[in-house]
Amino acid sequence: MKLTVWTYEGPPHVGAMRVATAMKGLHYVLHAPQGDTYADLLFTMIERRDHRPPVTYTTFEGRDLGEDTAGIFKVTCQEAYDRFQPQAMIVGASCTAELIQDDPGGLAETMQIPVPVIPLELPSYQRKENFGSDETFYQIVRALAAPMDRTPDVTVNILGPLALGFRHRDDIEEVKGLLFEMGIGINVVAPFDATPEDITRLGAAHANVVLYPEHAESAARHLERTFDQPYTKTVPIGVGATHDFVAEVAALCGVEPRKDLSRLRQPWWSKSVDSTYLTGKRVFLFGDATHVKAAARIARDEMGFEVVGLGCYNREFARPIRELAKEFNVPALITDDYLEVEKAIEDAAPEMILGTQMERHIGKRLGIPCAVISAPVHVQDFPARYSPQMGWEGANVIFDTWIHPLVMGLEEHLLAMFREDFEFHDEAGPSHHGGHAPKPVDAARTPDRVEEERVSEAQPETGSDVMVWLADAEMELKKIPFFVRGKARRNTEKFAADQGLHEISLDTLYEAKAHFAR
Amino acid sequence: MNTPNPITATTCRDTPVLKERGQREVFCGLTGIIWLHRKMQDAFFLVIGSRTCAHLLQSAAGVMIFAEPRFGTAILEETDLAGMADAHEELDREVARLLSRRPDIKQLFLVGSCPSEVIKLDLARAAERLTQVHAPHVRVLNYSGSGIETTFTQGEDACLASMVPVLPTTDQRELLLVGALPDVVEDQAVSLLTQMGIGPIRVLPAPRTAETPGVGPNTVFACLQPFLGDTAAALTRRGAHHIQAPFPFGEEGTTLWLRAIADEFGVDETTFERVTAAPRARARKAIANASEHLNGKTIFFMPDSQLEIPLARFLTRECGMEAIEIGQPFIHKGLVGPDLDLMPAGPTISEGQDVDKQLDRVRAARPDLTVCGLGLANPLEAEGLTTKWAIELVFTPVHFYEQAGDLAGLFSRPVRRRALLKLEAAE
């Protein structure tokens, strides 16, 4: 048993639902108790789909358990076929039905359903959502893809985009554009918007483009083995990766690596002097392996950040993430426990976090800016506007997204320069609120006095009650701009604690500053 | 000679119930934890279940999950399924770890799930054992919130019912209000009753374990929610007397609910009038404002929380709506009978669900407003139907006089929005 509050991934049958919901003309019959339909609202609310996921649940109840749950499954399966008339069906069990051992696949086989019925074995107590999607897509491809002649023109399949995928909708468009520029046609995009009939035609493509290894690697391997179709290993997130991707696809397909860079603004944005202040910003990366891998390269090579920690929650990709961490000379964090992630972030004391929805909240708690780079994400990261992560436009989107949470360079300098200005101290408030109008001076509450109160109030929050700030150190701390003061306080206290000190003097403050300086 | 004389239903109570079985589009009882843990401030809810259970709570709790909530899931792993003895040891270890990390916890609920029930993990025995281990500091109770046993709000019923046998015994004549309501609403109810001279008043669940009410043969209790059938039965078994009344939704519901209690405590008509006149007038006015857009509109309830019957009563009688179908996951006539009596026969009363067949009925009837869960709301909106998502009715303060306008507002907002939006190009 493992106590959990937050999970990065759902159970594997949710992965299967993501494949089914992405596709058209496919229906999923899930042997599951009442309540498991909660997963529908992930699709209708978070992704804002305008139709119900094509999933029928058997909804067995307690009183059915001693009787005929297998019979309920068969009736449900037949009714789902009759009502929805899909081109193919997938059948499987959720965690509870796995325990009652009804074998949906075997039961469906005994029925006279005139379309392919593909059984899924998803071990709910060992594996998770990403396994579920990868395995489901693999089983569908294995069952349906038939050998056939290659298309006369050069075409590829785009594999991996799913329902509830982080920016999958727009990544498809961007990658289609990259391929179009090279004169490569699209045979099938799957699972996103593909029908089972489309899946049967996968074999006609010359190669496969795998956008999300988490969801399509097993299928791509199968297609390589069975139909001799090579597949891409580079995920085109970031400028460098997109260049590599174009070269890789061109080589696989034997075409010219033509690119239209007219829309690509990220490199100039990053070179412009306004971005100088980004140099060496310490970032911590966490998310699914694919997005973390891509983000690490962008952070270092395209933004000039320093990566101070990285990790992923999907153990299936632990090995490549460990290698990546070695390359960046930081510890690899492979965990699905957000408390461990929070601990690692606290220890690394980054200036920015690139992570999932959960890291956004960790960032909020620790007062560290954060941008979202990976699922799981909430509704605001299924935007109405076009916002891919992949390709040239993706690079533009990523640049904007990552720097917005940071304090702009000029702003940072102005705040530091004028921090003791009589009109520009922390308590003055914004000028458009009339904060600068002369006020009757309340002798008991001068700004300094207010600040002192704030400092003493803030102290218990630091969690180091035994630490005493000497007067001169405290005065100096107050001169630090408010938005980094909390971090300076934490770092200094941590430094002092590591040194076995209980008092913080002016010297301690500056020794700590030197210690954490880069 | 007797000619066959068809018995025609006159109120919804006599209307034959359409009972359906099939796919249900509802939450399981685990979701009750999300509001119960806010109400019971020193309780922790530990679900013994699978990753699905954890994922459900996370999806249903939304942003609340980030606020260090007092609930969690002990996720069963492959090894727990292999041998039962092992599972108990594992549970003991996880509970000990949890309680050492959260010393403020006084009451721990082990919440059963579908997986724990299917493998017949004996949580009742575990709770007894753990109570002994952690006595006197922590009391450990158990109930089931599994989907195979409970639907949505029934989780609260199961939880409260599990507390009844261990409530201290008292011979005092006390009024016990049963059901977890937002504090602001509970305070209003207590204030109104106190002004009538009724008391002492206790609530179940109490905000803290130290304030746990007693129960005995002189206790009288009134339910604040229609889904508390098992809890009411358990209280009755301990000798308490149940005051039946329509539920306190809207001006009329609140008044009838208060009146039933006032009658039980012998409050005279003048006092009752004095206390209720002003808030009644306020409520009527607020409802009139908010229900302007609801008058004459039809409404269809998909089953969700068991609040459907009292809400339909409020909307038909006080907001001028016409109910087409009132679906409930479960109908406890002993509790909602008074509400059913107030509605003339007409709407279909359904219990249980076969969601595809029910959706066929929705599409055929094309109601002006459909009350349904979040898995159905957007798909129905896309079909051009206006929906009100039902879960909000459980989380938002909607009971009693001061919330009557807000309650009508929850239903009128989607109708008003539909009229407001001009998204197509002008012809």
Side-chain angles (χ1 to χ4, degrees):
Chain A
M1 262 177 223
K2 189 170 184 310
L3 184 63
T4 311
V5 175
W6 164 269
T7 63
Y8 283 97
E9 289 180 74
H13 72 258
V14 169
M17 284 181 72
R18 291 176 61 185
V19 175
T21 307
M23 289 181 63
K24 293 180 165 149
L26 180 82
H27 201 86
Y28 185 15
V29 178
L30 182 60
H31 204 17
Q34 165 175 270
D36 280 6
T37 50
Y38 81 87
D40 284 0
L41 69 87
L42 303 174
F43 300 95
T44 58
M45 297 307 291
I46 295 181
E47 206 180 9
R48 268 189 259 241
R49 289 206 169 235
D50 61 1
H51 57 89
R52 295 172 64 210
V55 183
T56 299
Y57 304 78
T58 55
T59 317
F60 54 83
E61 296 174 55
R63 58 185 157 156
D64 301 321
L65 286 180
E67 295 158 26
D68 189 19
T69 49
I72 293 176
F73 176 83
K74 286 171 85 164
V75 170
T76 309
C77 199
Q78 187 64 50
E79 284 179 358
Y81 174 76
D82 294 342
R83 180 177 279 269
F84 298 102
Q85 301 278 315
Q87 294 174 14
M89 292 170 86
I90 51 178
V91 295
S94 79
C95 51
T96 305
E98 190 183 331
L99 296 171
I100 59 178
Q101 298 180 334
D102 274 339
D103 184 21
L107 290 168
E109 213 172 295
T110 64
M111 301 168 61
Q112 304 301 314
I113 292 179
V115 295
V117 179
I118 303 157
L120 301 175
E121 292 289 342
L122 302 174
S124 314
Y125 297 90
Q126 292 167 310
R127 310 307 294 264
K128 290 181 266 188
E129 185 174 333
N130 282 344
F131 171 84
S133 59
D134 185 70
E135 172 70 11
T136 302
F137 186 45
Y138 163 63
Q139 291 299 345
I140 292 171
V141 169
R142 204 177 69 119
L144 300 180
M148 58 177 60
D149 294 335
R150 296 277 147 94
T151 53
D153 299 329
V154 177
T155 60
V156 295
N157 300 314
I158 295 180
L159 303 183
L162 286 189
L164 219 61
F166 177 63
R167 307 295 165 87
H168 288 197
R169 176 198 70 194
D170 298 341
D171 282 347
I172 296 172
E173 293 312 312
E174 199 57 28
V175 170
K176 276 183 181 169
L178 294 174
L179 297 169
F180 174 78
E181 282 154 20
M182 285 185 273
I184 297 171
I186 312 291
N187 183 48
V188 171
V189 179
F192 202 95
D193 278 353
T195 61
E197 193 274 324
D198 291 332
I199 301 290
T200 62
R201 297 188 289 107
L202 283 176
H206 294 235
N208 288 311
V209 167
V210 174
L211 295 192
Y212 312 99
E214 270 87 353
H215 308 308
E217 197 157 35
S218 298
R221 286 218 182 101
H222 170 78
L223 292 168
E224 186 176 50
R225 274 195 311 270
T226 333
F227 303 140
D228 199 25
Q229 286 172 328
Y231 67 94
T232 57
K233 311 292 191 297
T234 314
V235 176
I237 301 179
V239 179
T242 305
H243 282 299
D244 292 354
F245 171 82
V246 169
E248 188 185 8
V249 175
L252 287 186
C253 298
V255 300
E256 278 298 303
R258 282 196 301 272
K259 327 174 223 209
D260 173 11
L261 299 178
S262 59
R263 294 173 301 122
L264 176 62
R265 286 175 286 272
Q266 192 275 346
W268 165 243
W269 250 239
S270 193
K271 274 185 223 159
S272 75
V273 291
D274 191 54
S275 299
T276 317
Y277 78 101
L278 299 174
T279 314
K281 284 263 181 223
R282 297 156 50 81
V283 296
F284 189 98
L285 310 172
F286 197 81
D288 70 39
T290 298
H291 285 89
V292 164
K293 231 170 119 179
R297 180 169 175 188
I298 299 171
R300 183 186 59 189
D301 300 343
E302 297 166 27
M303 303 293 277
F305 293 160
E306 182 194 351
V307 175
V308 294
L310 61 84
C312 72
Y313 56 77
N314 46 344
R315 277 171 199 285
E316 291 89 345
F317 289 77
R319 192 180 293 167
I321 287 296
R322 286 213 177 87
E323 277 164 24
L324 183 74
K326 214 174 278 169
E327 189 193 322
F328 280 76
N329 199 24
V330 292
L333 179 67
I334 314 293
T335 181
D336 58 356
D337 183 345
Y338 73 96
L339 292 172
E340 278 182 47
V341 180
E342 186 168 58
K343 176 82 178 45
I345 291 176
E346 255 176 316
D347 291 347
E351 287 162 279
M352 185 184 198
I353 307 168
L354 299 172
T356 72
Q357 181 71 11
M358 195 60 216
E359 281 68 46
R360 240 167 48 103
H361 289 271
I362 292 173
K364 226 181 261 174
R365 197 173 301 163
L366 299 176
I368 303 172
C370 179
V372 171
I373 59 164
S374 156
V377 292
H378 206 55
V379 62
Q380 68 266 42
D381 272 301
F382 287 93
R385 67 176 184 276
Y386 184 59
S387 38
Q389 297 286 292
M390 292 185 179
W392 313 129
E393 186 59 23
N396 296 337
V397 168
I398 287 174
F399 182 84
D400 285 347
T401 312
W402 290 14
I403 67 158
H404 277 176
L406 296 169
V407 180
M408 299 290 118
L410 198 55
E411 201 182 339
E412 190 172 306
H413 284 298
L414 288 175
L415 282 168
M417 247 160 82
F418 299 122
R419 67 191 172 203
E420 283 170 287
D421 189 289
F422 77 105
E423 286 176 325
F424 200 65
H425 55 82
D426 306 347
E427 301 300 322
S431 55
H432 65 279
H433 285 162
H436 295 160
K439 273 181 210 142
V441 177
D442 178 353
R445 279 186 71 86
T446 57
D448 262 11
R449 187 62 185 273
V450 171
E451 179 58 28
E452 262 166 50
E453 283 167 18
R454 268 169 48 128
V455 168
S456 53
E457 272 165 29
Q459 228 152 6
E461 288 171 25
T462 62
S464 49
D465 309 331
V466 290
M467 207 58 80
V468 177
W469 284 73
L470 298 176
D472 55 345
E474 188 140 337
M475 288 286 281
E476 197 67 13
L477 183 69
K478 273 186 280 169
K479 294 181 191 163
I480 297 171
F482 66 90
F483 52 88
V484 285
R485 196 181 299 145
K487 198 180 76 178
R489 175 185 287 280
R490 266 200 308 277
N491 281 353
T492 310
E493 288 178 356
K494 183 175 184 301
F495 174 79
D498 291 347
Q499 303 285 312
L501 299 172
H502 297 290
E503 286 184 345
I504 294 171
S505 66
L506 189 58
D507 283 341
T508 324
L509 179 69
Y510 280 115
E511 273 164 32
K513 186 170 189 290
H515 176 79
F516 286 105
R518 26 165 214 280
Chain B
M1 224 181 106
N2 289 338
T3 49
N5 188 10
I7 302 164
T8 46
T10 53
T11 72
C12 281
R13 197 199 276 261
D14 323 315
T15 306
V17 174
L18 170 67
K19 294 199 182 194
E20 275 189 319
R21 286 200 62 184
Q23 180 183 330
R24 287 185 165 206
E25 186 83 20
V26 287
F27 281 132
C28 63
L30 293 182
T31 26
I33 291 170
I34 290 157
W35 65 87
L36 283 172
H37 92 280
R38 297 315 309 155
K39 192 69 195 168
M40 296 150 88
Q41 295 166 14
D42 53 8
F44 192 100
F45 293 81
L46 181 63
V47 177
I48 321 298
S50 64
R51 178 166 299 280
T52 311
C53 308
H55 196 235
L56 158 89
L57 284 175
Q58 172 173 327
S59 311
V63 290
M64 220 187 255
I65 203 91
F66 304 111
E68 296 210 17
R70 280 172 285 100
F71 61 81
T73 309
I75 294 186
L76 294 164
E77 290 167 332
E78 199 73 26
T79 48
D80 299 308
L81 304 174
M84 286 292 90
D86 193 29
H88 281 279
E89 275 169 33
E90 293 264 307
L91 182 59
D92 291 3
R93 191 198 62 221
E94 284 301 326
V95 165
R97 255 179 49 188
L98 171 70
L99 292 177
S100 67
R101 229 171 40 203
R102 300 292 301 262
D104 52 322
I105 299 304
K106 301 272 190 295
Q107 193 160 207
L108 176 69
F109 288 95
L110 304 178
V111 188
S113 67
C114 303
S116 74
E117 266 171 37
V118 167
I119 63 171
K120 306 220 183 310
L121 191 55
D122 191 348
L123 292 181
R125 223 183 57 202
E128 271 173 39
R129 187 180 63 240
L130 286 163
T131 298
Q132 283 167 8
V133 174
H134 298 282
H137 190 65
V138 185
R139 186 174 66 182
V140 185
L141 293 174
N142 89 289
Y143 72 90
S144 168
S146 74
I148 56 179
E149 299 290 344
T150 59
T151 306
F152 195 28
T153 49
Q154 271 183 297
E156 176 175 333
D157 190 25
C159 173
L160 301 190
S162 80
M163 298 168 76
V164 173
V166 295
L167 294 178
T169 306
T170 175
D171 283 330
Q172 275 235 37
R173 180 165 166 82
E174 289 179 332
L175 172 64
L176 183 62
L177 302 182
V178 187
L181 285 192
D183 291 343
V184 54
V185 183
E186 196 177 283
D187 292 347
Q188 288 168 15
V190 170
S191 161
L192 286 166
L193 293 165
T194 308
Q195 286 176 53
M196 292 181 208
I198 296 167
I201 302 169
R202 312 295 303 272
V203 289
L204 181 72
R208 312 202 136 261
T209 313
E211 294 148 30
T212 302
V215 64
N218 293 321
T219 308
V220 287
F221 71 93
C223 292
L224 292 160
Q225 300 277 28
F227 46 74
L228 297 171
D230 287 353
T231 310
L235 285 166
T236 309
R237 276 199 297 279
R238 290 205 52 185
H241 167 64
H242 179 202
I243 304 173
Q244 284 214 23
F247 286 90
F249 296 113
E251 183 268 318
E252 183 188 42
T254 306
T255 304
L256 290 173
W257 187 86
L258 288 169
R259 169 127 21 223
I261 297 171
D263 288 350
E264 169 71 28
F265 282 83
V267 176
D268 63 81
E269 191 56 35
T270 327
T271 311
F272 190 84
E273 266 309 305
R274 177 174 53 76
V275 174
T276 59
R280 284 178 77 172
R282 274 202 299 276
R284 272 198 296 266
K285 195 171 151 213
I287 294 168
N289 288 339
S291 65
E292 193 187 323
H293 300 270
L294 298 177
N295 232 312
K297 298 274 196 313
T298 54
I299 189 164
F300 193 115
F301 285 89
M302 308 283 281
D304 194 55
S305 61
Q306 299 186 48
L307 294 173
E308 293 84 1
I309 286 173
L311 288 176
R313 186 261 302 147
F314 163 68
L315 290 166
T316 52
R317 288 176 61 95
E318 297 186 53
C319 302
M321 296 192 87
E322 184 199 333
I324 296 171
E325 175 166 337
I326 308 168
Q328 300 241 138
F330 182 74
I331 298 178
H332 197 292
K333 281 206 172 158
L335 289 180
V336 295
D339 283 290
L340 287 167
D341 288 336
L342 291 170
M343 281 185 289
T348 305
I349 309 287
S350 64
E351 184 181 19
Q353 187 176 34
D354 183 327
V355 72
D356 285 309
K357 286 185 189 150
Q358 196 169 33
L359 284 171
D360 289 343
R361 295 201 293 277
V362 171
R363 290 179 185 120
R366 291 204 72 80
D368 295 311
L369 191 60
T370 305
V371 183
C372 62
L374 288 174
L376 299 172
N378 268 337
L380 287 175
E381 290 280 349
E383 291 180 31
L385 290 156
T386 306
T387 60
K388 165 75 213 102
W389 50 283
I391 302 150
E392 200 179 5
L393 301 162
V394 177
F395 291 132
T396 315
V398 292
H399 292 67
F400 293 101
Y401 292 129
E402 311 305 343
Q403 284 66 239
D406 302 342
L407 178 57
L410 286 179
F411 291 93
S412 69
R413 194 172 308 132
V415 178
R416 279 196 300 133
R417 182 168 183 77
R418 167 124 327 205
L420 268 172
L421 291 184
K422 310 261 180 297
L423 293 170
E424 281 80 34
E427 292 287 317

